Amino acid sequence: MCSLDKYLKYKKESLMHLNLIKEEKQMALLELKKVKKIYQQGKIEVPALRGIDLTVEPGEFTTIFGPSGSGKTTLLNMIGCLDTPTEGEIRLNDKKVSDLSRKELAMTRRYNIGFVFQSYNLIPVLTAYENVEFAIRLIDHSSELQIKEKVLKMLAEVGLKGLESRRPNELSGGEKQRVAIARALVKEPKLILADEPTANLDSENAAGVVDIMRKMNKELNTTFIFSTHDPMVMKYANRYINLKDGMITADERRG
């Protein structure tokens, strides 16, 4: 092949690569179409979500707010592949969630999603260090020393230095919340879902946690979706979604 042919082939491949990158950037991370969730209580149907349409782009820092019972936690569970809709479609990374096998769903949650649950969901027999370590060991095959450094650094960043060896029953509610946050952040997933992440934290620790999340959002393009009433979290969000009676009543973006 002559030099010109090689050059043209190189240019063509380069343009194809650039187009792929462009398409990847434009692709939504998350899409919900007409999503409904109805819970059955005996013969009574209780609608939790009433036809949610939502698109989330990579790198968004989004808050979902609304009164208790508005469907915020249900919506986060749907997005996180922890529950299935009664009707409608959910796509994550352009994959239809309902088409994924149980194993594929588990792998999606393990590698791509970090969860901060309101009820913490810590493993009671493990220490704070081990709870965070467990999350990263599932996906990271770094050396023992590298994993230890990552875990200790994350625990220190959420204000738990010196408490690494304590089990959940030896921690306060706020300390458990920070372990749960460290566990979600340490594996650096594409998407983090947080249900009232600062609810049990004092203002100083809440500010520290929000700063870590903002740093990840800016430096790693991590997408955050919060259910929150905390003005501090809402202050830094670039999108606000108001949920009421299982429906989106307002969706505002801030540049």
Side-chain angles (χ1 to χ4, degrees):
M1 187 181 291
C2 70
S3 297
L4 179 59
D5 288 337
K6 287 181 179 178
Y7 174 75
L8 291 173
K9 183 183 178 184
Y10 168 76
K11 290 294 288 182
K12 183 179 179 182
E13 288 174 348
S14 297
L15 286 170
M16 287 172 65
H17 179 63
L18 286 171
N19 284 334
L20 283 172
I21 292 173
K22 188 177 179 183
E23 287 172 9
E24 219 172 65
K25 286 182 178 177
Q26 291 174 341
M27 186 186 296
L29 175 69
L30 173 72
E31 289 182 277
L32 282 75
K33 298 177 181 178
K34 308 296 181 187
V35 170
K36 295 181 180 180
K37 183 63 180 181
I38 300 171
Y39 293 104
Q40 201 76 32
Q41 293 184 352
K43 296 181 179 180
I44 300 173
E45 291 187 344
V46 181
L49 299 176
R50 304 170 185 253
I52 298 291
D53 288 309
L54 177 65
T55 300
V56 177
E57 305 294 336
E60 287 194 16
F61 203 80
T62 298
T63 63
I64 300 172
F65 63 98
S68 297
S70 60
K72 300 187 298 296
T73 299
T74 301
L75 181 56
L76 289 182
N77 287 341
M78 296 291 163
I79 293 170
C81 306
L82 294 173
D83 200 354
T84 55
T86 307
E87 293 180 28
E89 179 181 306
I90 300 174
R91 300 184 76 89
L92 188 60
N93 285 327
D94 204 36
K95 293 180 181 178
K96 193 175 177 181
V97 171
S98 60
D99 289 343
L100 301 179
S101 66
R102 289 182 67 182
K103 184 177 180 180
E104 287 170 331
L105 285 170
M107 291 299 103
T108 296
R109 290 190 294 265
R110 181 181 298 181
Y111 284 92
N112 295 319
I113 306 174
F115 297 93
V116 181
F117 298 100
Q118 214 170 357
S119 54
Y120 320 130
N121 288 7
L122 302 178
I123 301 172
V125 296
L126 300 183
T127 63
Y129 176 92
E130 291 165 341
N131 266 281
V132 178
E133 179 193 36
F134 181 73
I136 197 170
R137 280 198 179 278
L138 292 172
I139 64 165
D140 194 326
H141 303 293
S142 302
S143 68
E144 291 284 333
L145 181 60
Q146 288 172 320
I147 287 177
K148 184 176 182 179
E149 287 176 349
K150 286 181 183 178
V151 174
L152 290 176
K153 181 183 177 185
M154 184 54 66
L155 285 168
E157 285 187 347
V158 297
L160 291 174
K161 187 175 182 179
L163 302 179
E164 299 91 347
S165 61
R166 293 193 184 183
R167 289 188 170 82
N169 65 356
E170 300 171 311
L171 298 169
S172 68
E175 288 164 349
K176 290 177 191 175
Q177 184 74 299
R178 280 180 276 159
V179 175
I181 291 167
R183 180 183 58 188
L185 301 184
V186 74
K187 61 181 186 176
E188 298 182 351
K190 292 181 180 179
L191 172 64
I192 291 181
L193 305 173
D195 196 359
E196 298 284 359
T198 58
N200 296 303
L201 304 182
D202 59 44
S203 57
E204 182 180 349
N205 283 308
V209 164
V210 171
D211 282 343
I212 297 167
M213 292 177 172
R214 288 179 65 210
K215 185 179 179 182
M216 283 184 67
N217 176 250
K218 289 180 179 178
E219 295 181 3
L220 302 177
N221 205 39
T222 307
T223 303
F224 285 84
I225 303 177
F226 302 89
S227 160
T228 187
H229 293 97
D230 189 338
M232 185 186 305
V233 177
M234 296 177 71
K235 175 183 175 183
Y236 294 112
N238 53 32
R239 186 176 183 185
Y240 309 89
I241 295 171
N242 191 6
L243 205 62
K244 185 177 180 182
D245 297 328
M247 296 180 289
I248 293 175
T249 58
D251 186 350
E252 299 177 13
R253 295 176 185 270
R254 183 175 68 180

